[in-house]
Amino acid sequence: GTYNLNDTLGEVGTGDSNGDNYYMHAGYWQMGQSYISISSPSDLNMAPMGGLSGGSSEGTMSWNVLTDNTAGYSMSISATTSPAMQSAQDYLSDYVPNSGGNPDYEFINAPTDSSFGFSPEGEDTYSRFKDDGSSCGTGGNLQTTGKCWDGLSTTPKIISERTSANIPSGSPVTVRFRAESGADHIQTSGDYNVTIVVTATTL
């Protein structure tokens, strides 16, 4: 009622050991654990865009997720603020898909508005962001670069997932960000920033 015991007799040299290129869990019960890691990319600096005449800017950030978990992993993204991209005086609206719950195949920004969105890329891209050549999240299995756009939220959104281990090379996950100001929208000049949180967990 107050304890749980796992035991194996007759093993020699059990325990954890590691070096620059390996991590070993020796012993039968040691393998009950799973390992996951995620890289940390540099900050992304996007190109300036017109405040009076409108314009757009895109840039990418990439992570590598590595796990020995046979059930795989799930990776999510969120922003620390709402709206995500802000300056001291102004902000860009978080992108809202016009297609309802699924991401938009094309990035759509009204001439009188400004918006900031993202699109994940990579072999493990979550099904919601996969396309059939014209729409997203409808059962297609394509992963077309620069398509399937959504907006950041303070609530995490799954962007990448797989159902198997990916050692030793891991899975590269790239997120494309886009900021756009419409031709009839005046965007206050200044430095705009967004802080994102990317989390990878085993399934």
Side-chain angles (χ1 to χ4, degrees):
T2 58
Y3 71 93
N4 193 27
L5 175 67
N6 292 322
D7 189 32
T8 301
L9 295 175
E11 291 189 272
V12 179
T14 61
D16 293 337
S17 61
N18 64 283
D20 291 339
N21 300 314
Y22 74 93
Y23 203 108
M24 183 173 72
H25 303 289
Y28 177 72
W29 287 108
Q30 294 293 328
M31 293 311 296
Q33 304 176 21
S34 61
Y35 169 84
I36 187 168
S37 69
I38 184 172
S39 63
S40 179
S42 300
D43 291 345
L44 170 64
N45 293 312
M46 298 175 70
M49 59 185 189
L52 295 175
S53 58
S56 63
S57 177
E58 284 189 16
T60 61
M61 297 180 74
S62 296
W63 295 262
N64 192 71
V65 183
L66 176 67
T67 182
D68 62 359
N69 184 33
T70 56
Y73 78 94
S74 180
M75 178 173 165
S76 65
I77 190 171
S78 63
T80 59
T81 59
S82 180
M85 180 169 277
Q86 302 183 23
S87 72
Q89 295 81 26
D90 205 352
Y91 63 88
L92 278 75
S93 299
D94 292 327
Y95 189 88
V96 178
N98 293 308
S99 56
N102 291 325
D104 285 338
Y105 187 72
E106 302 285 354
F107 191 98
I108 303 170
N109 182 71
T112 56
D113 198 7
S114 64
S115 55
F116 177 70
F118 73 94
S119 171
E121 303 170 2
E123 63 180 24
D124 296 342
T125 298
Y126 191 53
S127 58
R128 183 170 173 265
F129 293 95
K130 290 186 176 181
D131 66 274
D132 58 9
S134 61
S135 58
C136 306
T138 56
N141 201 36
L142 298 176
Q143 204 289 294
T144 308
T145 300
K147 305 298 182 183
C148 297
W149 295 92
D150 198 4
L152 288 169
S153 170
T154 53
T155 300
K157 296 182 178 182
I158 298 175
I159 57 173
S160 185
E161 190 172 271
R162 72 180 291 136
T163 56
S164 62
N166 60 5
I167 53 174
S169 57
S171 296
V173 180
T174 298
V175 178
R176 183 176 300 273
F177 297 96
R178 181 179 177 91
E180 183 171 323
S181 180
D184 299 328
H185 176 78
I186 298 176
Q187 189 72 40
T188 306
S189 63
D191 292 329
Y192 289 76
N193 297 282
V194 55
T195 300
I196 60 171
V197 178
V198 173
T199 306
T201 57
T202 55
L203 292 176

